[in-house]
Amino acid sequence: MADNISIQDNNWPIDPTKVRHVLSLSGGKDSAALAVYLRDRVPKMEYIFHDTGKELPDTYEYLERLEGYLGSRIIRTTFGTTFDDLLRQYGGMLPSNHRRWCTKMMKLEPFENYIGNDFCINYVGIRADEERTGYISTKPNIRASFPFREGGINYAGVQRILEESGLGMPPYIEWGRTRSGCFFCFYQQKIEWVRLKQRYPDYFEQAKAYEKPNRINGNIFYWCGNEPLADLERPERMAEIERNWQKKQERLAMRKPNRSLAETIGGLETHHTPRDGCLLCQL
């Protein structure tokens, strides 16, 4: 039941029966596992997904499967503003870790607009083995709950929840992507760009097409820092990235001989590696 799930500072001057329970899904493993975990614990849960329109087919497929398991509709909080609309507003300056307007405009604002002024418990899928806070709304009517952290559920526990439910891990993990979110996410590792090129060349081409002079100062911003995707996709450069990644995996294996298959398959980093990026994108 909901009263078994704690929240930060739950002393609200409101009837508990009028509080909304909301779980934001990203298409990733942690938020999906949390939805499974809470399905029978929290009645009247609202499941929402901030659809940027730039997600991978894998993400949409996984959410459809999750929807079937939950027996509840996942609400898309898209209000007609697309990534391309916002990109024009920002003068063609691509988002980056220094200009994270995509997180603000396509994830955080839609979330808070969806909640409005209602009192709400926002369930967050941060695991017990993660040392981060992530996004927590500062609005006084939205409080955060961390069931995995409070229940001691770590990466292995998330895997177990997903496997036992029959959902399994998100399909993009099988081909080497570590995160949900936009196919051109600037937080991707370079090996993930290589795998995107191999798996979804059309999406790679779409991402590459965004790398052009912006209207504000004429500079060209690249998804991978100072390396254009046109350079990264050169066969010799892709081979170099693959070699460097393989060497890194060998070093990790020497330090952690008991790494599980799920941690090493397709380039998946160990679950102890800190994650960059916005919480709502990655969970």
Side-chain angles (χ1 to χ4, degrees):
M1 296 296 292
D3 56 9
N4 292 329
I5 306 297
S6 66
I7 59 174
Q8 294 184 337
D9 184 21
N10 60 357
N11 186 24
W12 280 348
I14 186 174
D15 182 343
T17 62
K18 296 181 181 179
V19 174
R20 293 170 63 185
H21 300 269
V22 179
L23 196 161
S24 295
L25 295 161
S26 68
K29 63 186 183 305
D30 294 331
S31 62
L34 184 60
V36 171
Y37 180 73
L38 295 180
R39 185 188 68 170
D40 299 323
R41 290 178 168 86
V42 179
K44 299 182 180 179
M45 180 74 83
E46 299 175 46
Y47 305 100
I48 62 175
F49 172 58
H50 310 300
D51 190 351
T52 65
K54 301 296 181 179
E55 316 289 334
L56 286 168
D58 305 52
T59 300
Y60 295 119
E61 174 196 337
Y62 195 58
L63 288 172
E64 286 179 7
R65 287 162 48 193
L66 178 60
E67 212 167 30
Y69 177 87
L70 296 173
S72 180
R73 185 168 68 95
I74 298 172
I75 300 168
R76 269 62 170 177
T77 60
T78 302
F79 300 105
T81 301
T82 68
F83 175 85
D84 293 325
D85 293 332
L86 290 169
L87 183 62
R88 283 189 289 272
Q89 291 180 29
Y90 283 86
M93 290 197 301
L94 296 178
S96 71
N97 59 335
H98 302 298
R99 302 180 303 275
R100 289 171 55 183
W101 56 258
C102 55
T103 300
K104 176 184 176 183
M105 302 301 294
M106 304 204 77
K107 300 288 182 175
L108 307 186
E109 286 197 4
F111 169 71
E112 294 191 343
N113 289 339
Y114 176 78
I115 300 304
N117 295 321
D118 295 340
F119 284 84
C120 164
I121 301 176
N122 177 215
Y123 296 90
V124 183
I126 293 181
R127 305 187 309 268
D129 57 343
E130 293 187 288
E131 297 179 359
R132 62 174 183 152
T133 301
Y135 165 74
I136 300 175
S137 177
T138 58
K139 294 185 68 174
N141 59 305
I142 301 176
R143 306 295 169 88
S145 173
F146 303 92
F148 283 167
R149 179 172 287 175
E150 295 159 6
I153 297 174
N154 57 13
Y155 183 95
V158 163
Q159 283 185 291
R160 183 167 54 252
I161 289 170
L162 292 174
E163 293 301 329
E164 290 178 353
S165 71
L167 284 171
M169 297 285 273
Y172 55 76
I173 287 178
E174 297 176 4
W175 54 272
R177 185 179 171 91
T178 63
R179 66 187 68 244
S180 57
C182 300
F183 62 83
F184 46 59
C185 180
F186 49 81
Y187 278 114
Q188 288 181 98
Q189 304 169 54
K190 291 193 175 181
I191 187 64
E192 293 178 279
W193 282 105
V194 170
R195 301 283 168 77
L196 180 69
K197 169 72 176 179
Q198 295 167 340
R199 180 81 173 193
Y200 291 112
D202 290 348
Y203 286 96
F204 188 94
E205 289 300 313
Q206 290 181 45
K208 188 170 64 172
Y210 282 113
E211 298 184 333
K212 58 186 178 182
N214 69 81
R215 296 197 314 271
I216 294 178
N217 54 24
N219 292 338
I220 302 177
F221 292 93
Y222 304 115
W223 296 115
C224 293
N226 294 324
E227 183 171 21
L229 292 182
D231 290 346
L232 185 147
E233 70 173 338
R234 290 182 292 111
E236 62 272 22
R237 176 59 176 143
M238 290 176 64
E240 179 186 27
I241 292 171
E242 287 275 10
R243 287 195 301 271
N244 291 340
W245 175 79
Q246 289 289 351
K247 291 177 182 177
K248 181 179 180 180
Q249 301 315 298
E250 291 169 5
R251 292 195 299 270
L252 289 171
M254 290 179 65
R255 290 203 299 266
K256 286 192 64 185
N258 295 324
R259 295 175 79 216
S260 70
L261 176 62
E263 290 179 303
T264 57
I265 189 170
L268 183 63
E269 293 290 351
T270 90
H271 56 277
H272 298 293
T273 301
R275 294 186 294 179
D276 294 322
C278 79
L279 182 64
L280 289 176
C281 289
Q282 288 195 57
L283 288 178

